[in-house]
């Protein structure tokens, strides 16, 4: 009286199945199952274990499939916890100026920088932004990314910020990659408020945040807390206002100068503090105490040729969870390659390959409050899975600048196949 259990998808024979599950204690710290298999039903993980132990009663649905991962690595879909996905225009001219020796801040002072992208984004139509965003999501997916956080912040007026967040909503409806939207109206002061900072902060607090919350367009509220952008008091006021409207706080903190951003992140109960090149000792301790995740962005250090790196080892030793993200944006990190960030995280910030993998899975999920749904392969979690054509997990940061992704499963469906894949 064998009872068949219908499943939609089985991936089996993985050389290494990285579960990232805290329930599997192994030497690697990644919860690896050698010869691993995973069974998926209705978008969720039904079973994880050794291929040899796959329950005999599993029967694949007529629309379903079985994938052989012999010799390869299977792991949770990657999570990019800090992107500026929706923007118009591009800034390759600044790239060239920086090669000639001009600094990021000098270029911003001459009318380039964030404000030039604000101009281009305001000019762009909804459909243009949607098409640009779609292509970026496709590229992220091809690198194994199944969930991202995406910030507004290149509109800086009520109308343009709403346009960006609505583009994200439309992209969420059409694209398999999940998007956690963040309102970053406090990215910088728009030129029309250059000499009226207070009026812009009032606009953010009294009009933009309430409207964004009313339309349910964002889950998080972020602030660029920096001498040249929003100071500590302004940042606190904006994040507290966001909280009153149900927006969870995040902070761009201590990127270009030490400013107490990490301490503020702990004080307001932020999900993450991001960048942190100039974080203080006290800031690290407070983040550990309040369990604020550090989202580090090696692409920005690399792209801006900044020699100052965040003290990642110290943060890890003090108990701060460290995530790595692309910071995808046209000025300081024009890339969709999260695996490349892993290589840089290892070489610049001295993360081990194990820590780099945790940084784009469990820790990235935590920085978005989604660790119960994504970031590890456990029963009942979302079936977001990547199959990589590499012999072991260390290869992912080691063999760099290469597409190792063979296929990507999102909520139980194969949504991407590398054209060279034999699956
Ligand atoms: O995360 N830090 C602020 N914002 C971006 C850069 C934005 C830009 O240059 O367009 C960042 O690095
Ligand atoms: Fe950023």
């Amino acid at each position: 009286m064998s009872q068949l259990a219908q499943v939609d998808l089985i991936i089996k024979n993985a050389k290494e199945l990285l579960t990232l599950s805290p329930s599997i204690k192994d030497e690697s710290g990644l919860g690896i199952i050698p010869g691993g298999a995973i069974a998926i039903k209705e978008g969720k993980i039904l079973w994880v274990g050794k291929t040899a132990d796959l329950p005999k009663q599993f029967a694949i649905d007529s629309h379903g499939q079985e994938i052989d991962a012999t010799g390869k690595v299977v792991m949770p879909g990657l999570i990019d916890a800090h992107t500026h996905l929706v923007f118009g225009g591009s800034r390759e001219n600044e790239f060239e100026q920086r090669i000639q020796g001009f600094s990021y801040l000098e270029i911003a002072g001459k009318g380039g920088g964030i404000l030039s992208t604000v101009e281009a984004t305001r000019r762009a139509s909804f459909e243009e932004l949607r098409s640009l965003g779609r292509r970026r999501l496709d590229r992220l997916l091809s690198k194994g990314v199944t969930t991202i956080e995406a910030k507004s912040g290149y509109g800086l007026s009520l109308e343009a910020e709403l346009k960006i967040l609505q583009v994200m909503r439309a992209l969420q409806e059409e694209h398999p990659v999940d998007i956690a939207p963040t309102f970053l109206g406090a990215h910088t002061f728009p030129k029309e408020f250059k000499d009226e900072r207070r009026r812009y902060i009032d606009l953010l607090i009294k009009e933009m945040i309430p409207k964004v919350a009313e339309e349910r367009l964002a889950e998080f509220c972020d602030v660029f807390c920096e001498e040249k952008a929003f100071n500590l008091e302004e940042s606190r006021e904006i994040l507290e206002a966001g909280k009153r409207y149900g927006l969870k706080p995040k902070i761009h903190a201590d990127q270009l100068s030490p400013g107490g951003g990490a301490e503020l992140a702990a004080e307001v109960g932020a999900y993450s503090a991001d960048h942190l090149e100039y974080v203080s000792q006290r800031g690290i301790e407070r983040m550990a105490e309040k369990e604020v995740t550090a989202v580090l962005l090696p692409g920005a250090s690399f792209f801006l040729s900044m020699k100052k790196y965040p003290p990642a080892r110290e943060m890890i030793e003090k108990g701060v969870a460290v995530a790595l993200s692309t910071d995808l944006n046209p000025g300081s990190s024009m890339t969709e390659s999260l695996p490349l960030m892993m290589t840089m995280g290892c070489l610049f910030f001295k993360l081990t390959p194990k820590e780099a993998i945790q940084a784009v899975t469990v820790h990235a999920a935590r920085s978005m409050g989604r660790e119960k749904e994504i970031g590890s392969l456990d029963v009942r979690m979302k079936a977001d899975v990547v199959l990589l054509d590499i012999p072991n997990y260390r290869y992912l940061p080691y063999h760099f600048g290469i597409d190792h992704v063979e296929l990507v499963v999102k909520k139980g469906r194969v949504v991407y196949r590398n054209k060279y894949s034999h699956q």
Side-chain angles (χ1 to χ4, degrees):
M1 34 167 251
S2 81
Q3 263 191 332
L4 287 185
Q6 293 288 327
V7 298
D8 303 325
L9 180 68
I10 289 179
I11 304 176
K12 62 181 199 182
N13 297 324
K15 179 139 183 283
E16 292 182 351
L17 180 86
L18 317 185
T19 64
L20 278 298
S21 167
S23 64
I24 300 176
K25 300 263 176 276
D26 65 345
E27 240 168 69
S28 71
L30 295 171
I32 298 182
I33 304 178
I38 181 167
I40 292 165
K41 187 181 171 66
E42 287 162 5
K44 297 250 165 90
I45 297 172
L46 181 69
W47 184 91
V48 187
K50 280 193 177 293
T51 306
D53 300 333
L54 258 173
K56 298 280 175 289
Q57 69 268 30
F58 282 175
I60 298 193
D61 187 77
S62 55
H63 303 290
Q65 60 177 315
E66 190 169 89
I67 292 167
D68 181 30
T70 298
K72 297 172 186 168
V73 169
V74 171
M75 67 177 290
L78 310 189
I79 302 167
D80 194 344
H82 181 139
T83 79
H84 302 253
L85 179 77
V86 178
F87 57 85
S90 58
R91 306 205 326 245
E92 61 276 33
N93 55 331
E94 292 183 12
F95 177 70
E96 205 160 323
Q97 288 168 18
R98 282 191 289 101
I99 295 166
Q100 288 157 2
F102 294 98
S103 77
Y104 181 66
L105 288 176
E106 279 167 345
I107 294 167
K110 288 191 303 180
I114 297 176
L115 287 179
S116 69
T117 299
V118 169
E119 287 293 307
T121 307
R122 286 179 176 179
R123 270 199 312 270
S125 71
F126 183 92
E127 278 313 320
E128 274 160 358
L129 291 176
R130 176 168 165 162
S131 147
L132 288 164
R134 183 187 302 129
R135 285 160 65 192
R136 290 177 196 134
L137 285 174
D138 287 344
R139 285 191 285 265
L140 283 156
L141 181 64
S142 77
K143 306 290 178 191
V145 173
T146 48
T147 301
I148 66 164
E149 181 267 9
K151 302 169 196 301
S152 67
Y154 287 116
L156 308 187
S157 67
L158 177 62
E159 188 198 357
E161 285 292 307
L162 291 178
K163 174 175 71 173
I164 293 169
L165 291 167
Q166 278 153 357
V167 165
M168 289 183 201
R169 176 174 284 172
L171 289 170
Q172 179 64 98
E173 275 161 26
E174 68 172 81
H175 204 281
V177 170
D178 273 326
I179 304 173
T182 295
F183 173 62
L184 178 59
H187 197 184
T188 190
F189 289 86
K191 65 173 185 327
E192 54 292 7
F193 288 93
K194 196 163 73 86
D195 303 313
E196 295 179 285
R197 293 169 76 96
R198 187 64 237 173
R199 270 193 55 225
Y200 186 61
I201 293 167
D202 284 342
L203 178 69
L204 281 168
I205 290 177
K206 297 192 179 134
E207 289 185 44
M208 290 161 89
I209 288 176
K211 187 75 181 161
V212 165
E214 182 192 318
E215 310 245 326
R216 299 189 167 280
L217 282 167
E219 181 178 346
F220 297 96
C221 179
D222 194 347
V223 174
F224 187 17
C225 179
E226 188 68 46
E227 220 172 86
K228 293 255 179 307
F230 295 81
N231 67 31
L232 263 189
E233 290 66 40
E234 293 164 342
S235 300
R236 178 183 295 110
E237 196 182 340
I238 294 160
L239 293 172
E240 289 295 347
K243 273 163 70 177
R244 287 197 294 280
Y245 284 90
L247 300 178
K248 304 167 193 163
K250 278 181 169 280
I251 309 188
H252 276 70
D254 307 317
Q255 178 188 6
L256 304 170
S257 57
E263 290 88 329
L264 178 63
E267 179 194 322
V268 300
Y271 278 66
S272 69
D274 304 33
H275 283 289
L276 298 168
E277 281 78 351
Y278 288 87
V279 67
S280 70
Q281 281 296 326
R282 176 96 187 108
I284 298 177
E285 283 155 20
R286 292 282 292 141
M287 283 177 66
E289 232 171 86
K290 294 284 175 185
E291 299 192 350
V292 180
T293 302
V295 177
L296 306 185
L297 307 160
S301 309
F302 172 71
F303 204 63
L304 298 182
S305 307
M306 274 174 61
K307 296 289 175 297
K308 177 87 177 149
Y309 297 142
R313 286 255 56 89
E314 227 180 299
M315 293 188 214
I316 292 171
E317 273 142 36
K318 294 228 161 89
V320 176
V322 168
L324 286 172
S325 301
T326 58
D327 196 14
L328 165 58
N329 78 76
S332 69
S333 190
M334 185 66 165
T335 183
E336 287 93 348
S337 181
L338 194 51
L340 184 56
M341 300 305 111
M342 296 169 75
T343 303
M344 291 179 187
C346 291
L347 295 175
F348 297 163
F349 303 167
K350 307 294 177 213
L351 298 190
T352 63
K354 171 194 98 169
E355 289 161 346
I357 286 179
Q358 292 170 330
V360 297
T361 54
V362 271
H363 293 169
R366 220 184 88 163
S367 76
M368 294 157 63
R370 296 194 179 191
E371 68 276 20
K372 299 228 159 59
E373 285 161 60
I374 52 171
S376 55
L377 301 179
D378 260 322
V379 171
R380 282 182 290 278
M381 305 275 280
K382 246 185 217 176
D384 294 357
V385 188
V386 193
L387 172 60
L388 300 161
D389 188 8
I390 50 176
N392 62 64
Y393 74 85
R394 289 189 177 89
Y395 247 77
L396 188 50
Y398 161 64
H399 191 171
F400 73 99
I402 292 297
D403 283 333
H404 296 296
V405 174
E406 188 155 312
L407 64 82
V408 182
V409 173
K410 179 67 189 170
K411 291 188 200 125
R413 274 193 322 120
V414 176
V415 288
Y416 171 80
R417 256 174 228 280
N418 187 319
K419 64 180 174 207
Y420 303 111
S421 148
H422 300 295
Q423 292 291 339

